[in-house]
Amino acid sequence: MNEFITGYLQKIIPVSFNLETAEEFITIGDADPAFTLKINRNIPKRELLNSTSLALGEAYMREDIDVDKDLFEVLDSFLGEMGKFSVNRGALRRILYTSKNMRSQEQEVTSHYDIGNDFYKLWLDETMSYSCGYFKESSDTLYEAQVNKVEHILDKMYLQEGMNMLDIGCGWGFLLKHAVKKYGVKGVGITLSREQYAKFQKDIEDEGLQDSLEVRLMDYRELKSSGLAFDRVVSVGMLEHVGRGNYPLFLECVQSVLKTGGLFLLHYISALQEFPGDAFIKKYIFPGGVIPSLREIIHIMGDKKLYTVDVESMRRHYTKTLLCWRDNLLKHKEEITESYGKEFMRMWELYLASCAATFHNGIIDLHQIVMTNGINNGLPMTRVV
């Protein structure tokens, strides 16, 4: 057995496990092994030293390595140790640090969301919500959790009939459609994804919502010159695409269209500390994606005189959401493999399982921040429960 590989894996995996190659089978650790890691092809030392997650992720995609237990359970046993992973920022510069200009970010966003609506329909729920659900009860289905999430957000926004509402990064539009139908507001959604735009636009027409709802292909930076004004603004799972360095600009753009006394609800994946991102996720899943810390967003809000009303963590809800998505994905394993290839299928399962494990281990979090543009705006004094 390669001594470097053995020592390297032992350093980052805190549980006992079996290590198997064509030549040898050994147990690392003193307790009963939690799983067996089979190495079918050697992983180059340089790749592991440049990026643990990228080297192991690519090896799993190619079936150079495999495990004999549930992938989430295996990842959950050691992704809490990501602080011990190797990251050579110099060697990974082109992956970790990408351009934050409009053209580059549009290409990065569409590379993920424009894979095709048919692909996402296979494993998202009927609402086509691609963000954290809200499980009020442990028995809630994914669909119920996504409806709960939207209603939880809208409750926090204290909507009144006739209000104008903007959704930045509106996805396939379920939140806005729900708000328009239930509360009688008028809504505008903006997205960079042509696939999302096309489905949302068709839904608006099919459901007869043209007088109340509009979707635009639009970058958030265009809001400043748009002449639009809203009582309420929401953004769900979009801030992760903005990029460190552009957060002040993002909040300025929100503020430019948010009426005095208006509410902005920001729902985003967060981190305890600021870091450039994971090499595997940035290379294969979300090019250019960066996870802001909670503290840096709160700090910038203070600079912009945006007042914090409420902050809530929904981390555990995202673990469960991701596992529901993975279960749905695996139900269509043969179909996806046939259409996109085995590496693509293994890559997406790895993405969903690893994200579930990192949320479960507290490496990343999910926060909703409610903020106001101005003070003394007549909101209730008690928190939404």
Side-chain angles (χ1 to χ4, degrees):
M1 190 73 69
N2 185 308
E3 289 186 9
F4 169 76
I5 292 288
T6 302
Y8 190 89
L9 294 175
Q10 188 173 22
K11 182 183 72 172
I12 64 171
I13 300 176
V15 298
S16 296
F17 64 100
N18 295 322
L19 193 56
E20 179 183 357
T21 68
E23 296 80 26
E24 198 171 3
F25 186 98
I26 63 171
T27 299
I28 297 177
D30 299 325
D32 291 337
F35 59 89
T36 296
L37 174 62
K38 186 176 181 181
I39 300 180
N40 299 314
R41 296 180 189 84
N42 188 46
I43 307 171
K45 177 179 178 179
R46 185 180 66 177
E47 292 182 12
L48 280 167
L49 292 177
N50 280 340
S51 171
T52 304
S53 66
L54 184 57
L56 294 180
E58 290 182 331
Y60 183 81
M61 285 168 56
R62 297 188 299 253
E63 294 186 277
D64 292 348
I65 60 173
D66 217 335
V67 292
D68 68 338
K69 295 288 177 65
D70 178 82
L71 182 61
F72 167 73
E73 293 180 12
V74 172
L75 294 170
D76 193 44
S77 71
F78 75 92
L79 285 188
E81 305 293 316
M82 288 186 74
K84 298 177 181 178
F85 283 17
S86 301
V87 181
N88 183 338
R89 294 191 181 186
L92 301 171
R93 177 164 295 277
R94 289 187 178 182
I95 297 174
L96 295 180
Y97 305 100
T98 57
S99 172
K100 294 187 288 292
N101 65 47
M102 288 176 65
R103 181 175 176 80
S104 296
Q105 291 192 317
E106 180 182 0
Q107 291 173 342
E108 290 168 350
V109 168
T110 56
S111 72
H112 184 86
Y113 295 99
D114 286 354
I115 291 172
N117 290 339
D118 289 343
F119 169 66
Y120 287 104
K121 284 177 184 176
L122 292 175
W123 52 276
L124 297 179
D125 70 291
E126 300 95 311
T127 71
M128 291 292 283
S129 296
Y130 190 20
S131 56
C132 177
Y134 188 61
F135 294 85
K136 286 186 176 181
E137 305 290 341
S138 60
S139 59
D140 283 346
T141 64
L142 178 60
Y143 170 78
E144 289 169 336
Q146 293 296 3
V147 173
N148 291 344
K149 183 266 301 292
V150 165
E151 292 184 342
H152 192 56
I153 287 173
L154 298 180
D155 282 346
K156 290 182 178 183
M157 301 189 79
Y158 300 100
L159 297 176
Q160 297 176 18
E161 186 173 352
M163 281 184 170
N164 294 317
M165 180 176 175
L166 170 68
D167 187 347
I168 303 174
C170 61
W172 288 276
F174 179 73
L175 185 150
L176 275 180
K177 289 189 294 181
H178 196 75
V180 166
K181 293 174 184 177
K182 184 172 182 177
Y183 293 94
V185 301
K186 293 185 180 297
V188 175
I190 65 172
T191 179
L192 293 176
S193 166
R194 295 186 181 277
E195 290 278 320
Q196 291 178 340
Y197 170 85
K199 183 183 185 305
F200 194 0
Q201 183 61 49
K202 185 176 186 303
D203 287 351
I204 291 171
E205 295 168 2
D206 290 348
E207 298 175 34
L209 301 174
Q210 297 95 323
D211 293 338
S212 302
L213 192 50
E214 177 187 357
V215 60
R216 300 185 182 187
L217 280 170
M218 184 178 183
D219 189 282
Y220 74 89
R221 282 162 280 208
E222 298 174 86
L223 290 171
K224 274 190 172 185
S225 59
S226 68
L228 298 170
F230 298 93
D231 303 288
R232 301 289 187 263
V233 178
V234 63
S235 183
V236 179
M238 179 271 178
L239 186 66
E240 299 88 329
H241 299 289
V242 168
R244 182 158 289 113
N246 277 358
Y247 304 140
L249 174 61
F250 175 78
L251 289 178
E252 287 172 16
C253 291
V254 172
Q255 201 166 29
S256 72
V257 296
L258 184 60
K259 296 176 184 178
T260 302
L263 282 180
F264 173 42
L265 187 145
L266 179 63
H267 170 123
Y268 74 104
I269 298 171
S270 61
L272 284 173
Q273 297 178 321
E274 303 75 38
F275 63 99
D278 177 79
F280 174 78
I281 296 294
K282 296 191 79 164
K283 181 174 180 179
Y284 289 101
I285 308 297
F286 289 115
V290 180
I291 299 175
S293 70
L294 177 63
R295 65 186 178 188
E296 68 183 315
I297 299 304
I298 296 291
H299 178 78
I300 297 167
M301 285 169 54
D303 291 341
K304 302 299 177 187
K305 290 186 167 51
L306 289 164
Y307 294 84
T308 308
V309 175
D310 188 72
V311 179
E312 181 180 9
S313 167
M314 295 170 62
R315 176 181 63 83
R316 291 173 294 175
H317 295 271
Y318 219 163
T319 299
K320 187 164 184 175
T321 302
L322 284 153
L323 291 177
C324 288
W325 288 341
R326 188 188 70 136
D327 287 345
N328 289 343
L329 187 84
L330 290 174
K331 289 175 184 175
H332 297 278
K333 182 176 181 178
E334 290 184 8
E335 183 178 348
I336 294 170
T337 301
E338 183 177 344
S339 298
Y340 298 94
K342 184 179 287 188
E343 279 195 17
F344 179 91
M345 176 63 209
R346 288 174 69 87
M347 176 182 77
W348 271 82
E349 186 196 357
L350 178 60
Y351 151 55
L352 295 175
S354 63
C355 286
T358 49
F359 276 106
H360 190 238
N361 281 277
I363 301 298
I364 50 179
D365 208 320
L366 188 289
H367 279 97
Q368 287 184 355
I369 308 175
V370 182
M371 59 191 88
T372 62
N373 188 24
I375 57 174
N376 300 327
N377 50 15
L379 293 176
M381 293 174 64
T382 54
R383 184 186 192 196
V384 170
V385 177

